[in-house]
Amino acid sequence: MNTTSNRKRRISAVAILGLAASVAATGTGLAATTLPSTVHATTATAAAAPTRSFQGTLPAPTGPYAAGEDVIHLTDASRPDPWVPSSGPRQLAVTMVYPAVPGTGTPAPYMTLAEAAGIVQRQNVPASSGVTPQTLSGVTTHAFDGARPQRGKYPLVVLSPAYEDPRITLTSLATDLASHGYVVALVGHTYEDSGETLANGRTPPCAICDHPETLDFDSVAASRALDVSFVIDQLTHGTTAWRLAHLIDKHEIGMAGHSLGGAAAAATMIADPRVRAGVNMDGSFHPDPTPGQINRPFLMLGTTANTDWEHPWAALGGYKKWLTVAGADHFSFSDLDLLHEQAGFPTPPLSPERGVVITREYVTAFFGQTLKGIHSPLLDGPSPNNPEVLFQH
């Protein structure tokens, strides 16, 4: 296992939204881990501040295609839910993002109202921030419901979010990948975050978030690997799970994850040989891989504060890169820093916009090289256009 301090630093991301709200009101520094007592103590102060206007917007995709979106609901009848067995078989909400024809479809919401309410309620986000279920669900995504798909077959990339984070926090990466010719499956890991709306309309809260200090994150990562393999099964065996499953090239599959989702990417690669390339965005490994377990391409993209990747790096046997981003914090690799900035909350030295650009460029380049066979000079060494990105090995 990795050290407790590193584990706590890189297992939770959406929880920072509530903390950011409190420190924005009090002028204190932004902490790297959640402190619920601080949030509660300062919520009253934040609530007394003038109400802001929050209109969140994610960056537009940069590729030649538009991003179409479908939300599908899957039930694994062979497996009871690992966290709430009384709820029955494991249920998952998955957002599918795909290459689409520009100008078709209707703007997709960022999340359901119930999912947004789960974040606002769990994190005690003050109304004065302007972040309400309505404004949060209405963030502009540049994805389009029911958009007409581009013809052809495309690699599948599965995305797994951080512990406590709903799947939508990787939307800006998902839409950009789709615009460059990938089908993307954003997997919501039920009961592991602030809420995923399921097929029955329920949005259950997190069942494992209240005591992270007692949680076995190796087990959580292993459970996520089972989630992902089931999703891949459903998307590549026949066409019943998703109406556009014919778009997927089932021989070219990759996975990327943020924080605990990055650990899940490694755990999935160890368990499922169909995943040909993986990306860990600033997550501790749970557990560290051993030599011989991952001999396929792997990218580690994280902060300069990351100190527990030496052993995993040594164990990786295939094409591999370890990149750090100067000035980034843990949330630079998801949508969260950008939304924090737009809501008036503190952000790291690296501008949130740059965090999104760097994450998109390097993850897309990596999958282009490993799943499509398109060489990217971006991965060869330092780039004058990205001076923040440091090649560790």
Side-chain angles (χ1 to χ4, degrees), residues 2-392:
N2 299 305
T3 64
T4 301
S5 60
N6 280 327
R7 183 184 70 182
K8 288 184 177 179
R9 185 177 66 81
R10 293 205 306 284
I11 55 177
S12 173
V14 81
I16 206 69
L17 185 61
L19 183 58
S22 70
V23 298
T26 60
T28 57
L30 183 62
T33 54
T34 56
L35 299 172
S37 60
T38 305
V39 174
H40 295 145
T42 57
T43 297
T45 304
T51 300
R52 293 177 51 88
S53 174
F54 171 70
Q55 292 182 315
T57 302
L58 302 180
T62 61
Y65 305 133
E69 179 178 306
D70 282 335
V71 175
I72 62 175
H73 297 92
L74 305 175
T75 300
D76 186 352
S78 69
R79 179 180 170 224
D81 189 276
W83 315 123
V84 185
S86 61
S87 68
R90 182 68 163 164
Q91 297 183 67
L92 300 172
V94 182
T95 298
M96 302 301 304
V97 192
Y98 58 91
V101 176
T104 63
T106 56
Y110 191 39
M111 64 183 89
T112 67
L113 272 173
E115 288 165 345
I119 293 175
V120 171
Q121 179 179 6
R122 179 166 181 81
Q123 304 309 327
N124 296 300
V125 179
S128 60
S129 68
V131 179
T132 66
Q134 289 75 20
T135 59
L136 193 53
S137 65
V139 167
T140 300
T141 65
H142 301 284
F144 294 88
D145 281 332
R148 190 164 74 249
Q150 296 281 350
R151 297 182 180 219
K153 286 190 176 291
Y154 305 94
L156 172 66
V157 174
V158 183
L159 297 182
S160 180
Y163 168 68
E164 288 198 74
D165 284 16
R167 67 191 190 279
I168 54 84
T169 55
L170 295 177
T171 297
S172 62
L173 176 58
T175 55
D176 201 58
L177 283 167
S179 78
H180 286 278
Y182 297 85
V183 171
V184 182
L186 272 167
V187 180
H189 301 283
T190 311
Y191 294 112
E192 297 179 28
D193 59 43
S194 52
E196 307 281 352
T197 300
L198 302 177
N200 59 10
R202 292 180 58 246
T203 308
C206 190
I208 62 170
C209 292
D210 289 340
H211 297 286
E213 71 281 357
T214 64
L215 200 57
D216 178 359
F217 284 98
D218 291 10
S219 296
V220 182
S223 176
R224 288 191 174 200
L226 293 174
D227 286 348
V228 171
S229 288
F230 170 70
V231 169
I232 293 173
D233 288 343
Q234 294 295 297
L235 292 175
T236 59
H237 293 173
T239 59
T240 56
W242 180 44
R243 65 185 181 92
L244 299 177
H246 62 274
L247 296 176
I248 295 172
D249 180 350
K250 63 183 180 181
H251 301 294
E252 300 293 346
I253 299 174
M255 181 177 174
H258 175 223
S259 196
L260 183 60
T268 303
M269 289 188 73
I270 292 170
D272 193 332
R274 293 175 297 179
V275 181
R276 296 189 53 189
V279 180
N280 182 347
M281 298 182 289
D282 208 48
S284 296
F285 286 78
H286 292 287
D288 285 353
T290 58
Q293 286 187 314
I294 301 178
N295 291 326
R296 284 155 282 158
F298 204 89
L299 169 66
M300 304 193 307
L301 178 66
T303 64
T304 55
N306 201 318
T307 59
D308 60 356
W309 275 359
E310 288 290 350
H311 285 101
W313 170 261
L316 296 174
Y319 172 81
K320 57 184 179 179
K321 294 291 179 180
W322 176 356
L323 311 180
T324 57
V325 185
D329 71 2
H330 188 48
F331 317 108
S332 299
F333 308 96
S334 71
D335 299 345
L336 290 173
D337 272 345
L338 189 64
L339 297 180
H340 293 164
E341 179 183 62
Q342 293 171 355
F345 299 155
T347 54
L350 180 74
S351 79
E353 293 81 4
R354 284 294 296 157
V356 170
V357 167
I358 288 168
T359 300
R360 285 174 155 189
E361 286 189 356
Y362 282 88
V363 173
T364 301
F366 176 76
F367 285 129
Q369 189 153 307
T370 57
L371 298 181
K372 293 185 175 184
I374 302 172
H375 173 254
S376 174
L378 198 64
L379 298 171
D380 292 341
S383 163
N385 293 329
N386 296 296
E388 309 95 335
V389 179
L390 312 174
F391 281 67
Q392 295 301 309

